[in-house]
Amino acid sequence: MRELPFHTILIANRGEIAVRIIKTLRRLGLRSAIVYHDADAGTPAVSMADTAIAISGRTPMAAYLDIAQIIAAAHKASADALHPGYGFLSENAEFARAVIKAGIAFIGPAPESIELMGDKIRAHNFVQQNGFPVAPSAIEEDDPATFTFRARAVGVPLLVKPSAGGGGKGMRVVRDLATLEDAIAQARSEGQRYFGDGRLYVERYVENPRHIEVQVLGDSFGNMVHLFERECSVQRRFQKIIEEAPSPALSPELRKRVCETAASIARAAKYRNAGTVEFIFGGGEFYFLEMNTRLQVEHTVTEMITGIDLVAQQIYVTAGRELGFSQSDIVSRGHAIEARLYAEAPERGYVPTTGKVLVLEYPDGDGVRIDSGILQGQQITTAFDPMLAKIIVHSPTRIEAALKAHRAMRELVLLGCETNASFLTRILREEAFLSGHIHTGYLEENPHIASGEPASDLSGFLATAALLTRPVREPADAVPELHAAMGSWRN
């Protein structure tokens, strides 16, 4: 295999995703450079990178969004390629163009693809015009004067969404048309505030839907493959907190349809590099939701079931290599679950928390992977997204993976900053989760899980556990010694 044309790759990101990228760069024999704000000095990513270049801004977040500073840092590090990670500038076509114009390879899709599929309205129109399934909808910019009228015609329940951005920001569910105008005004205001774009569209809100997404990968030679689906239906406030692969909701026939549809959409868009096509799924039907033109937070579960390093594949494709495998070579093995560890208090409305990490011990063992961006002694602030780490497990079956994830969360020790660890643990023993009967509104309908009140019925967990042939006492009952000693101080 010919050598890669890159020597140093700048990571325009921070935290766990920066650490995760550095690990692959090391494996490929490439040097890593990273930009960092003073708020991140001493973090694992900065310590691990071969070169670290300080950037500044009015706020820490502003520093990571400063295109000119990041490109200057890439030149300073003599970087010949740049990986944007996720978030920040990862889906900014202007940034991708600026990087390429500066003579640096952008590890991601072409700017034109980001513009087409990163814009929800353009992507929706593109997918619909190419004959793929979309939910009934109304797009404001088609005719702003009749937008509200057309939205009413779609019928309730409706979901009002900003055209730009993601993460649930600005989204409003409308169940009574009398509240439609207020929902539009609020969504427009938040879209403008978060993304600088007040354009809106509405679509039919599917009751109790499941969130299914498909990882795709394309190269410059026209090859396009999917790496199977992920299910991300465990969400709070439209944000994913537990993801798994494969989805327990899909039959083999439906899985084939969803995955081939996703690959066909990406192929129609002439997409190159890694991307994710997202669908809402309900009533046996699936509808296109959006496409994310970057690496996803939850890419890890795909890596666990396929054994394919997606960051490495991104680098190979950017380097001009042809995919080294075809669809028939990609095999899904076992089941993977990822839980996102957040610095937040679920019982107080998921408010972000702060503090100094006094003790930090991660679970380990066969089939347990930790992607983390923090270390003991680090100060946790509200300057960035509250995600601290991801705990990913892999087992031969779904129920074994669920029990392994439950055990891993129980073994996690993080003292000094309140986290959602106990919340995640409670979800993992919910009967609905264990039986695979979850939907995106499940946590909202069951507030006792966030509040920490005792579950009304643990019989599902215990009954499922009893089905296993291996001893279940440890995952169900064991409390790490340090946890027990700390009593209620444990998160």
Side-chain angles (χ1 to χ4, degrees), residues 75-117:
H75 284 312
K76 186 175 181 179
S78 299
D80 30 34
L82 180 147
H83 197 303
Y86 54 71
F88 293 133
L89 296 166
S90 60
E91 291 185 284
N92 186 312
E94 178 190 353
F95 176 59
R97 283 201 176 90
V99 170
I100 295 168
K101 186 178 179 181
I104 302 164
F106 180 77
I107 300 176
E112 294 76 16
S113 295
I114 298 175
E115 286 177 328
L116 172 62
M117 303 308 285

Side-chain angles (χ1 to χ4, degrees), residues 11-295:
I11 302 165
N13 217 296
R14 60 178 298 281
E16 66 86 19
I17 189 58
V19 172
R20 187 262 169 273
I21 295 168
I22 290 171
K23 288 179 178 177
T24 288
L25 297 183
R26 285 180 172 179
R27 187 171 64 79
L28 298 181
L30 298 171
R31 288 179 56 81
S32 59
I34 192 169
V35 293
Y36 74 98
H37 184 271
D38 274 351
D40 281 328
T43 58
V46 176
S47 301
M48 290 172 63
D50 295 307
T51 302
I53 298 170
I55 55 175
S56 60
R58 183 175 50 83
T59 64
M61 186 79 80
Y64 289 97
L65 294 173
D66 189 327
I67 294 176
Q69 275 200 89
I70 291 172
I71 290 178
H75 284 312
K76 186 175 181 179
S78 299
D80 30 34
L82 180 147
H83 197 303
Y86 54 71
F88 293 133
L89 296 166
S90 60
E91 291 185 284
N92 186 312
E94 178 190 353
F95 176 59
R97 283 201 176 90
V99 170
I100 295 168
K101 186 178 179 181
I104 302 164
F106 180 77
I107 300 176
E112 294 76 16
S113 295
I114 298 175
E115 286 177 328
L116 172 62
M117 303 308 285
D119 183 305
K120 289 182 174 57
I121 290 177
R122 288 191 64 189
H124 178 280
N125 286 340
F126 175 82
V127 169
Q128 186 174 36
Q129 289 163 5
N130 280 275
F132 299 109
V134 298
S137 59
I139 298 173
E140 183 176 32
E141 66 183 28
D142 285 348
D143 184 1
T146 63
F147 176 53
T148 303
F149 174 79
R150 289 183 289 116
R152 287 177 178 277
V154 173
V156 291
L158 283 173
L159 187 61
V160 184
K161 305 171 71 172
S163 176
K169 290 182 172 60
M171 292 167 57
R172 293 284 186 282
V173 176
V174 175
R175 299 184 184 280
D176 181 350
L177 288 178
T179 66
L180 178 61
E181 281 77 4
D182 285 344
I184 288 175
Q186 292 170 2
R188 191 189 311 286
S189 174
E190 289 191 21
Q192 190 65 49
R193 184 172 4 128
Y194 287 116
F195 315 118
D197 187 340
R199 294 176 303 148
L200 300 175
Y201 72 103
V202 300
E203 65 184 16
R204 175 72 54 76
Y205 179 70
V206 178
E207 294 286 4
N208 298 333
R210 303 179 76 121
H211 182 117
I212 307 289
E213 62 186 33
V214 179
Q215 179 72 56
V216 295
L217 184 64
D219 64 20
S220 301
F221 299 87
N223 300 306
M224 177 63 62
V225 297
H226 69 75
L227 287 83
F228 300 102
E229 85 285 0
R230 301 184 284 258
E231 174 149 1
C232 314
S233 296
V234 182
Q235 302 182 4
R236 54 108 171 106
R237 296 181 173 176
F238 296 114
Q239 291 187 320
K240 307 161 188 171
I241 52 175
I242 292 178
E243 302 97 340
E244 62 182 307
S247 165
L250 300 184
S251 64
E253 295 75 19
L254 197 50
R255 172 169 296 112
K256 187 171 188 293
R257 279 178 54 202
V258 171
C259 291
E260 290 184 351
T261 298
S264 296
I265 290 172
R267 192 175 294 112
K270 297 181 172 55
Y271 192 84
R272 185 196 68 202
N273 217 278
T276 300
V277 183
E278 301 192 341
F279 300 94
I280 50 175
F281 174 64
E285 299 294 330
F286 59 91
Y287 304 103
F288 173 78
L289 184 63
E290 63 183 14
M291 182 172 185
N292 287 304
T293 57
R294 55 174 166 78
L295 196 66

Side-chain angles (χ1 to χ4, degrees), residues 195-415:
F195 315 118
D197 187 340
R199 294 176 303 148
L200 300 175
Y201 72 103
V202 300
E203 65 184 16
R204 175 72 54 76
Y205 179 70
V206 178
E207 294 286 4
N208 298 333
R210 303 179 76 121
H211 182 117
I212 307 289
E213 62 186 33
V214 179
Q215 179 72 56
V216 295
L217 184 64
D219 64 20
S220 301
F221 299 87
N223 300 306
M224 177 63 62
V225 297
H226 69 75
L227 287 83
F228 300 102
E229 85 285 0
R230 301 184 284 258
E231 174 149 1
C232 314
S233 296
V234 182
Q235 302 182 4
R236 54 108 171 106
R237 296 181 173 176
F238 296 114
Q239 291 187 320
K240 307 161 188 171
I241 52 175
I242 292 178
E243 302 97 340
E244 62 182 307
S247 165
L250 300 184
S251 64
E253 295 75 19
L254 197 50
R255 172 169 296 112
K256 187 171 188 293
R257 279 178 54 202
V258 171
C259 291
E260 290 184 351
T261 298
S264 296
I265 290 172
R267 192 175 294 112
K270 297 181 172 55
Y271 192 84
R272 185 196 68 202
N273 217 278
T276 300
V277 183
E278 301 192 341
F279 300 94
I280 50 175
F281 174 64
E285 299 294 330
F286 59 91
Y287 304 103
F288 173 78
L289 184 63
E290 63 183 14
M291 182 172 185
N292 287 304
T293 57
R294 55 174 166 78
L295 196 66
Q296 293 273 90
V297 173
E298 58 273 23
H299 74 279
T300 56
V301 293
T302 297
E303 293 185 327
M304 294 291 259
I305 63 167
T306 63
I308 293 174
D309 183 330
L310 284 167
V311 172
Q313 294 302 322
Q314 287 187 292
I315 293 170
Y316 294 152
V317 168
T318 304
R321 285 188 183 175
E322 189 170 3
L323 290 179
F325 44 79
S326 61
Q327 189 65 62
S328 61
D329 297 322
I330 305 170
V331 179
S332 174
R333 291 188 174 88
H335 199 96
I337 295 176
E338 172 186 281
R340 300 189 188 191
L341 183 69
Y342 284 123
E344 66 180 21
E347 71 280 8
R348 289 185 277 122
Y350 307 103
V351 61
T353 59
T354 61
K356 185 176 181 178
V357 179
L358 303 175
V359 179
L360 178 60
E361 293 181 10
Y362 285 119
D364 60 14
D366 183 48
V368 177
R369 167 178 168 176
I370 305 297
D371 280 20
S372 171
I374 60 169
L375 75 173
Q376 194 164 300
Q378 184 175 328
Q379 192 72 32
I380 305 301
T381 73
T382 57
F384 303 104
D385 182 275
M387 193 175 77
L388 304 175
K390 302 181 299 198
I391 292 85
I392 312 109
V393 303
H394 183 252
S395 284
T397 68
R398 183 174 187 271
I399 193 63
E400 288 176 290
L403 287 176
K404 184 179 287 185
H406 182 268
R407 182 177 65 242
M409 292 309 304
R410 294 288 297 267
E411 292 175 352
L412 171 72
V413 181
L414 194 160
L415 301 178

Side-chain angles (χ1 to χ4, degrees), residues 1-4 316 321-322 324:
M1 184 176 289
R2 59 190 165 89
E3 289 188 0
L4 288 166
Y316 294 152
R321 285 188 183 175
E322 189 170 3

